Amino acid sequence: KMSVLTTLMIVVALVFGGGGAAYAAAQPSLPDQPLYGLKLAGEDIQTQLTANTQNRLEVTLKFSQRRVDEMEKMNAAGKEIPASVQTRWQEQVQQALQLATNMPEEGTRTRAMVRVYEQLQNQAQLMAQAADDPLMQQTREMAQQQLRQIEQIMAGNGQGEPGANNGQGGAAAPGNNPTTGGSNPWTTGTPTPGSSYGPGPGTCEDC
């Protein structure tokens, strides 16, 4: 985590002088490149400065997708993926789940959970294509576990806080594997009356 002083220094650098140009140049950086630390610092600041819960959820999901993209690019280039990328992805997924479960209204909370679920589905499918990389496969298993936990929460029998017992990977339940086209619990069957099931917003104009 960044200290307050470090955060203030980066904010000043971004607002004044050439810091903004350096930050822009850091955006395509990968974990093995010099400007990657600035890229992550900028993400932390943007997250901290996003007060609206829905907007912060979208920002957090966007950054978690960046981690998957970085893993894909490094794997395609034959480079070793640092475990810190997986750790940051996991933290961002857990933060997204926490934001979703803390939504004040049931309908908004349901849509937020569906939004997180759909992104995790897409990420698991992308990582399934990198079967030759152990870290990406482990991350995929973690995504599958999070998907199962969301299913349990939405079914009304989730146990504990979102993100609990992470890292204990494994195959998804038969007939409901999100990475092989299994059924989505909010688009099949009969929803609970008053649950307002349905897909959440896919974009965030203020992010």
Side-chain angles (χ1 to χ4, degrees):
K1 301 295 181 181
M2 294 186 301
S3 67
V4 174
L5 178 60
T6 303
T7 301
L8 289 174
M9 290 175 63
I10 294 174
V11 170
V12 170
L14 294 179
V15 175
F16 301 101
Y23 177 68
Q27 296 313 294
S29 297
L30 293 177
D32 61 341
Q33 296 175 330
L35 293 179
Y36 187 71
L38 179 59
K39 175 182 178 178
L40 297 185
E43 290 180 2
D44 289 341
I45 292 172
Q46 185 175 348
T47 303
Q48 292 168 10
L49 296 179
T50 304
N52 179 274
T53 304
Q54 181 64 52
N55 292 347
R56 179 174 287 202
L57 172 63
E58 291 297 330
V59 166
T60 304
L61 289 175
K62 178 176 72 174
F63 294 154
S64 79
Q65 183 60 46
R66 283 187 181 180
R67 304 290 83 79
V68 175
D69 294 341
E70 290 164 358
M71 286 189 275
E72 279 193 298
K73 290 176 181 177
M74 294 197 75
N75 179 62
K79 298 179 180 180
E80 182 178 356
I81 304 170
S84 59
V85 180
Q86 181 196 72
T87 299
R88 191 172 178 91
W89 169 85
Q90 184 180 17
E91 291 173 349
Q92 289 167 333
V93 169
Q94 290 179 7
Q95 183 180 10
L97 282 170
Q98 194 68 52
L99 289 166
T101 56
N102 286 339
M103 293 286 181
E105 298 179 1
E106 181 181 355
T108 305
R109 184 164 56 251
T110 299
R111 288 190 292 272
M113 294 295 287
V114 172
R115 176 81 175 95
V116 176
Y117 186 94
E118 291 175 341
Q119 175 140 326
L120 279 170
Q121 273 190 319
N122 292 333
Q123 292 179 350
Q125 290 168 353
L126 289 172
M127 289 184 285
Q129 300 171 14
D132 59 329
D133 189 280
L135 186 137
M136 289 191 72
Q137 286 308 298
Q138 183 187 53
T139 308
R140 173 174 171 261
E141 291 174 355
M142 293 164 69
Q144 289 176 327
Q145 185 191 25
Q146 295 284 14
L147 287 165
R148 293 193 295 272
Q149 186 177 16
I150 294 174
E151 291 168 5
Q152 292 174 348
I153 293 172
M154 296 297 291
N157 59 5
Q159 299 295 323
E161 293 295 323
N165 300 319
N166 269 312
Q168 305 298 318
N176 194 27
N177 188 332
T179 65
T180 56
S183 62
N184 185 318
W186 305 296
T187 58
T188 60
T190 303
T192 303
S195 60
S196 303
Y197 287 167
T203 59
C204 173
E205 297 180 357
D206 299 327
C207 296

mmCIF file of all heavy atoms in Angstrom, residues 68-88:
data_model
loop_
_atom_site.group_PDB
_atom_site.id
_atom_site.type_symbol
_atom_site.label_atom_id
_atom_site.label_comp_id
_atom_site.label_asym_id
_atom_site.label_seq_id
_atom_site.Cartn_x
_atom_site.Cartn_y
_atom_site.Cartn_z
ATOM 1 N N VAL A 68 -5.499 -9.528 -16.064
ATOM 2 C CA VAL A 68 -5.652 -10.698 -16.934
ATOM 3 C C VAL A 68 -5.001 -10.430 -18.288
ATOM 4 O O VAL A 68 -4.308 -11.301 -18.845
ATOM 5 C CB VAL A 68 -7.139 -11.058 -17.105
ATOM 6 C CG1 VAL A 68 -7.310 -12.209 -18.103
ATOM 7 C CG2 VAL A 68 -7.753 -11.444 -15.764
ATOM 8 N N ASP A 69 -5.199 -9.226 -18.821
ATOM 9 C CA ASP A 69 -4.585 -8.865 -20.101
ATOM 10 C C ASP A 69 -3.062 -8.917 -20.006
ATOM 11 O O ASP A 69 -2.381 -9.378 -20.937
ATOM 12 C CB ASP A 69 -5.031 -7.476 -20.537
ATOM 13 C CG ASP A 69 -6.521 -7.400 -20.853
ATOM 14 O OD1 ASP A 69 -7.132 -8.465 -21.087
ATOM 15 O OD2 ASP A 69 -7.070 -6.284 -20.866
ATOM 16 N N GLU A 70 -2.528 -8.439 -18.877
ATOM 17 C CA GLU A 70 -1.073 -8.468 -18.685
ATOM 18 C C GLU A 70 -0.562 -9.896 -18.632
ATOM 19 O O GLU A 70 0.480 -10.222 -19.231
ATOM 20 C CB GLU A 70 -0.709 -7.720 -17.403
ATOM 21 C CG GLU A 70 -0.919 -6.213 -17.492
ATOM 22 C CD GLU A 70 -0.943 -5.533 -16.129
ATOM 23 O OE1 GLU A 70 -0.826 -6.235 -15.100
ATOM 24 O OE2 GLU A 70 -1.081 -4.308 -16.092
ATOM 25 N N MET A 71 -1.281 -10.764 -17.929
ATOM 26 C CA MET A 71 -0.869 -12.166 -17.869
ATOM 27 C C MET A 71 -0.892 -12.801 -19.256
ATOM 28 O O MET A 71 0.017 -13.565 -19.613
ATOM 29 C CB MET A 71 -1.769 -12.937 -16.900
ATOM 30 C CG MET A 71 -1.484 -12.639 -15.439
ATOM 31 S SD MET A 71 -2.375 -13.733 -14.274
ATOM 32 C CE MET A 71 -3.953 -12.875 -14.155
ATOM 33 N N GLU A 72 -1.932 -12.484 -20.040
ATOM 34 C CA GLU A 72 -2.029 -13.029 -21.393
ATOM 35 C C GLU A 72 -0.859 -12.587 -22.258
ATOM 36 O O GLU A 72 -0.259 -13.395 -22.981
ATOM 37 C CB GLU A 72 -3.338 -12.565 -22.042
ATOM 38 C CG GLU A 72 -4.553 -13.359 -21.658
ATOM 39 C CD GLU A 72 -5.715 -13.038 -22.576
ATOM 40 O OE1 GLU A 72 -6.158 -11.872 -22.594
ATOM 41 O OE2 GLU A 72 -6.175 -13.951 -23.279
ATOM 42 N N LYS A 73 -0.533 -11.294 -22.194
ATOM 43 C CA LYS A 73 0.542 -10.753 -23.034
ATOM 44 C C LYS A 73 1.895 -11.336 -22.648
ATOM 45 O O LYS A 73 2.714 -11.658 -23.507
ATOM 46 C CB LYS A 73 0.564 -9.231 -22.934
ATOM 47 C CG LYS A 73 -0.623 -8.554 -23.614
ATOM 48 C CD LYS A 73 -0.610 -7.053 -23.420
ATOM 49 C CE LYS A 73 -1.812 -6.403 -24.089
ATOM 50 N NZ LYS A 73 -1.856 -4.935 -23.854
ATOM 51 N N MET A 74 2.142 -11.477 -21.341
ATOM 52 C CA MET A 74 3.413 -12.027 -20.911
ATOM 53 C C MET A 74 3.518 -13.513 -21.283
ATOM 54 O O MET A 74 4.576 -13.986 -21.692
ATOM 55 C CB MET A 74 3.585 -11.845 -19.406
ATOM 56 C CG MET A 74 3.712 -10.379 -18.993
ATOM 57 S SD MET A 74 4.402 -10.161 -17.333
ATOM 58 C CE MET A 74 6.134 -10.533 -17.623
ATOM 59 N N ASN A 75 2.421 -14.224 -21.173
ATOM 60 C CA ASN A 75 2.422 -15.632 -21.558
ATOM 61 C C ASN A 75 2.664 -15.786 -23.058
ATOM 62 O O ASN A 75 3.436 -16.650 -23.481
ATOM 63 C CB ASN A 75 1.089 -16.276 -21.178
ATOM 64 C CG ASN A 75 1.014 -17.737 -21.569
ATOM 65 O OD1 ASN A 75 1.785 -18.562 -21.095
ATOM 66 N ND2 ASN A 75 0.081 -18.073 -22.451
ATOM 67 N N ALA A 76 2.024 -14.919 -23.851
ATOM 68 C CA ALA A 76 2.201 -14.985 -25.305
ATOM 69 C C ALA A 76 3.646 -14.677 -25.711
ATOM 70 O O ALA A 76 4.138 -15.199 -26.715
ATOM 71 C CB ALA A 76 1.241 -14.005 -25.989
ATOM 72 N N ALA A 77 4.298 -13.823 -24.906
ATOM 73 C CA ALA A 77 5.690 -13.461 -25.200
ATOM 74 C C ALA A 77 6.688 -14.452 -24.605
ATOM 75 O O ALA A 77 7.903 -14.263 -24.729
ATOM 76 C CB ALA A 77 5.983 -12.059 -24.674
ATOM 77 N N GLY A 78 6.184 -15.493 -23.945
ATOM 78 C CA GLY A 78 7.060 -16.481 -23.350
ATOM 79 C C GLY A 78 7.758 -16.007 -22.094
ATOM 80 O O GLY A 78 8.807 -16.541 -21.722
ATOM 81 N N LYS A 79 7.194 -15.008 -21.427
ATOM 82 C CA LYS A 79 7.800 -14.454 -20.222
ATOM 83 C C LYS A 79 7.146 -15.049 -18.976
ATOM 84 O O LYS A 79 5.974 -15.415 -18.990
ATOM 85 C CB LYS A 79 7.639 -12.928 -20.199
ATOM 86 C CG LYS A 79 8.323 -12.211 -21.353
ATOM 87 C CD LYS A 79 8.093 -10.704 -21.264
ATOM 88 C CE LYS A 79 8.773 -9.955 -22.398
ATOM 89 N NZ LYS A 79 8.543 -8.493 -22.295
ATOM 90 N N GLU A 80 7.924 -15.118 -17.904
ATOM 91 C CA GLU A 80 7.385 -15.599 -16.637
ATOM 92 C C GLU A 80 6.512 -14.527 -16.000
ATOM 93 O O GLU A 80 6.904 -13.365 -15.899
ATOM 94 C CB GLU A 80 8.516 -15.967 -15.678
ATOM 95 C CG GLU A 80 8.028 -16.523 -14.352
ATOM 96 C CD GLU A 80 9.170 -16.929 -13.432
ATOM 97 O OE1 GLU A 80 10.339 -16.835 -13.873
ATOM 98 O OE2 GLU A 80 8.891 -17.332 -12.281
ATOM 99 N N ILE A 81 5.321 -14.901 -15.575
ATOM 100 C CA ILE A 81 4.384 -13.948 -14.977
ATOM 101 C C ILE A 81 4.661 -13.852 -13.475
ATOM 102 O O ILE A 81 4.619 -14.862 -12.775
ATOM 103 C CB ILE A 81 2.932 -14.401 -15.205
ATOM 104 C CG1 ILE A 81 2.650 -14.587 -16.696
ATOM 105 C CG2 ILE A 81 1.958 -13.391 -14.600
ATOM 106 C CD1 ILE A 81 1.327 -15.265 -16.989
ATOM 107 N N PRO A 82 4.940 -12.652 -12.965
ATOM 108 C CA PRO A 82 5.177 -12.515 -11.522
ATOM 109 C C PRO A 82 3.927 -12.866 -10.722
ATOM 110 O O PRO A 82 2.799 -12.547 -11.119
ATOM 111 C CB PRO A 82 5.530 -11.024 -11.361
ATOM 112 C CG PRO A 82 5.917 -10.559 -12.727
ATOM 113 C CD PRO A 82 5.111 -11.374 -13.686
ATOM 114 N N ALA A 83 4.132 -13.515 -9.586
ATOM 115 C CA ALA A 83 2.999 -13.872 -8.731
ATOM 116 C C ALA A 83 2.276 -12.632 -8.220
ATOM 117 O O ALA A 83 1.091 -12.690 -7.888
ATOM 118 C CB ALA A 83 3.488 -14.714 -7.554
ATOM 119 N N SER A 84 2.971 -11.493 -8.184
ATOM 120 C CA SER A 84 2.356 -10.254 -7.702
ATOM 121 C C SER A 84 1.195 -9.811 -8.592
ATOM 122 O O SER A 84 0.267 -9.152 -8.125
ATOM 123 C CB SER A 84 3.397 -9.134 -7.627
ATOM 124 O OG SER A 84 3.984 -8.901 -8.905
ATOM 125 N N VAL A 85 1.226 -10.191 -9.864
ATOM 126 C CA VAL A 85 0.127 -9.833 -10.767
ATOM 127 C C VAL A 85 -1.124 -10.604 -10.364
ATOM 128 O O VAL A 85 -2.225 -10.051 -10.317
ATOM 129 C CB VAL A 85 0.507 -10.126 -12.233
ATOM 130 C CG1 VAL A 85 -0.649 -9.748 -13.167
ATOM 131 C CG2 VAL A 85 1.765 -9.361 -12.620
ATOM 132 N N GLN A 86 -0.960 -11.881 -10.075
ATOM 133 C CA GLN A 86 -2.087 -12.689 -9.606
ATOM 134 C C GLN A 86 -2.616 -12.153 -8.280
ATOM 135 O O GLN A 86 -3.834 -12.065 -8.070
ATOM 136 C CB GLN A 86 -1.667 -14.146 -9.439
ATOM 137 C CG GLN A 86 -2.793 -15.061 -8.985
ATOM 138 C CD GLN A 86 -2.270 -16.394 -8.452
ATOM 139 O OE1 GLN A 86 -1.688 -16.451 -7.374
ATOM 140 N NE2 GLN A 86 -2.469 -17.458 -9.239
ATOM 141 N N THR A 87 -1.708 -11.797 -7.369
ATOM 142 C CA THR A 87 -2.118 -11.284 -6.064
ATOM 143 C C THR A 87 -2.942 -10.006 -6.206
ATOM 144 O O THR A 87 -3.986 -9.853 -5.547
ATOM 145 C CB THR A 87 -0.883 -11.002 -5.184
ATOM 146 O OG1 THR A 87 -0.163 -12.212 -4.987
ATOM 147 C CG2 THR A 87 -1.294 -10.433 -3.832
ATOM 148 N N ARG A 88 -2.497 -9.120 -7.073
ATOM 149 C CA ARG A 88 -3.235 -7.870 -7.268
ATOM 150 C C ARG A 88 -4.594 -8.143 -7.912
ATOM 151 O O ARG A 88 -5.595 -7.521 -7.557
ATOM 152 C CB ARG A 88 -2.416 -6.887 -8.103
ATOM 153 C CG ARG A 88 -2.994 -5.464 -8.124
ATOM 154 C CD ARG A 88 -2.032 -4.524 -8.810
ATOM 155 N NE ARG A 88 -2.582 -3.179 -8.883
ATOM 156 C CZ ARG A 88 -2.396 -2.229 -7.970
ATOM 157 N NH1 ARG A 88 -1.686 -2.482 -6.885
ATOM 158 N NH2 ARG A 88 -2.921 -1.016 -8.137
#
